[in-house]
């Protein structure tokens, strides 16, 4: 659940060794899936950012999501960079570049920004507009990436 954007700081932080083992396991899973002829669906940037993002990008539109479940606010209200913010595109592009460097790509990605939480600061029209804009930006990003190779 913490990786789905509902909680933060719960029973963590995770040890670096655990994160590295998960990374190695993911590489094995992706390699095996492709060897079996399967296409992998990798995660995309959904907008979740740590508290430090406010310090790094002080002018970015970063707001907490709603509380989740019966957890205290300190463990929920995950920070979200808003989808119409240039910082969203900046982080999202960097995330996809690194993802491709680590795992290759089958050009299939999934992002669930609001898994059982409500973002009080984003309106549906902004989300729809940003989805269109993100799609266009993603196409331009891939064109540039392919031209560089």
């Amino acid at each position: 659940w913490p990786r789905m954007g509902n909680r933060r700081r719960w029973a963590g932080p995770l040890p670096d060794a655990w994160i590295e083992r998960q990374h190695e396991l993911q590489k094995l899973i992706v390699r095996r899936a492709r060897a079996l002829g399967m296409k992998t669906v990798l995660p995309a940037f959904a907008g979740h950012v740590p508290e430090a993002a406010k310090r790094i990008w002080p002018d970015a539109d970063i707001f907490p999501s709603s509380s989740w479940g019966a957890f205290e606010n300190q463990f929920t209200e995950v920070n979200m960079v808003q989808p119409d913010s240039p910082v969203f595109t900046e982080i999202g592009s960097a995330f996809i570049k690194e993802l491709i460097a680590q795992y290759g790509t089958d050009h299939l990605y999934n992002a669930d920004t609001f898994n059982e939480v409500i973002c009080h600061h984003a309106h549906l029209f902004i989300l729809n507009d940003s989805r269109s804009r993100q799609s266009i930006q993603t196409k331009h990003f891939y064109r540039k990436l392919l031209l560089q190779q």
Side-chain angles (χ1 to χ4, degrees):
W1 283 105
R3 290 189 268 169
M4 292 178 141
N6 308 51
R7 298 187 320 212
R8 61 188 173 134
R9 297 189 190 130
W10 182 259
L14 295 169
D16 288 343
W18 184 88
I19 293 170
E20 185 56 37
R21 284 192 309 270
Q22 292 297 302
H23 173 66
E24 293 304 318
L25 178 60
Q26 183 63 39
K27 288 195 289 190
L28 290 172
I29 291 168
V30 167
R31 190 177 311 127
R32 182 67 176 144
R34 289 182 179 142
L36 293 170
M38 299 167 68
K39 290 186 181 273
T40 58
V41 179
L42 298 173
F45 177 67
H48 307 97
V49 292
E51 189 72 27
K54 293 178 183 179
R55 187 181 73 250
I56 296 168
W57 294 284
D59 298 328
D61 293 329
I62 298 173
F63 299 103
S65 64
S66 63
S67 297
W68 181 77
F71 289 89
E72 297 173 25
N73 289 351
Q74 67 177 328
F75 299 119
T76 62
E77 295 187 355
V78 175
N79 291 298
M80 306 287 296
V81 62
Q82 299 305 293
D84 60 334
S85 168
V87 172
F88 186 97
T89 303
E90 179 184 339
I91 296 171
S93 293
F95 185 89
I96 293 294
K97 268 186 187 173
E98 184 61 27
L99 196 72
I100 291 170
Q102 294 294 324
Y103 304 106
T105 185
D106 291 317
H107 305 287
L108 298 170
Y109 303 96
N110 182 42
D112 185 358
T113 303
F114 304 111
N115 182 40
E116 298 180 8
V117 297
I118 301 165
C119 184
H120 301 292
H121 302 279
H123 300 289
L124 188 56
F125 73 88
I126 291 174
L127 292 173
N128 285 335
D129 180 56
S130 67
R131 188 179 320 130
S132 298
R133 225 173 336 108
Q134 189 68 20
S135 175
I136 291 166
Q137 290 166 344
T138 302
K139 287 177 190 169
H140 289 302
F141 169 75
Y142 280 117
R143 269 195 211 113
K144 279 193 239 175
L145 189 66
L146 291 172
L147 289 173
Q148 292 170 358
Q149 293 179 353

